[in-house]
Amino acid sequence: MESNMGVPRCTCCLFIATVACHIMVLVGNLSTAKMLNGLGRSASGWGSVASSITHALDNELTPAMHNVTQWLTTAVDVIDELEEGVDNLLTLTGSTIDSTMKSYAPTENETIFKAKAHVQVEQVAKAAIKKIEPLTDKVMDALRPPLAQVEQWLGSFSPKIQDTLEEFGTVADRAQKLVDQVMTKVNSAGGMEEEMLWDTYHIFDPYDDGIQLREFKQ
């Protein structure tokens, strides 16, 4: 009996197709690895920028904020003193006006009484204002340092820098979403496991009569 020693064309076609598919998968994996490598380098650069910003905020902005807080606390205390001085001024002026009005006699000349009352109220008001003026200067001295620091911040955090930080945050969010999508696709299964097993079995059982030794020899 002559044995069939012809060229297994189907097997050769399947072999060539399998090799071609593996090559395409390899090319796709290499492209994906190259893309992930580039994404990793970009993420490293973004991480360096974020680290620099964090370092600047921690070592420069935080101490400045602490100083501004202390300055504002001192300013609030001084403003309370000024408010108390103004209240005393108003109370003293009101008491002077009341006592002056009580001393008015119907028989007294009205013009002379007004002049006398004006002099008394003016003396009391000037004395009270002299006591308030140091508190006012103290308030201004307490407010100058924090206002100067705020002015410096307004110059440092210009609209251009703010726009750059907002753009950096937007790009970082997009990169994070892209990484999440890639990792989701990498971790997900293809969903064709049964088809692959079926096709692999029929590579070795082309005649649907079971896998036999003679078919391997052919």
Side-chain angles (χ1 to χ4, degrees), residues 6-7 30 46 49 79 87-89 97 121 123 140 156-157 180 183 185 189 204 213:
V7 177
L30 292 176
W46 300 332
V49 174
I79 291 173
D87 292 338
N88 293 332
L89 170 63
I97 294 174
V121 173
Q123 290 177 353
M140 297 305 300
S156 300
F157 296 99
D180 293 339
M183 296 305 298
K185 292 181 179 179
F204 301 98
L213 182 60

Side-chain angles (χ1 to χ4, degrees), residues 20-39:
C21 291
H22 279 289
I23 292 174
M24 288 188 288
V25 172
L26 177 61
V27 173
N29 290 336
L30 292 176
S31 300
T32 304
K34 184 177 179 181
M35 182 270 294
L36 292 176
N37 188 19
L39 185 61

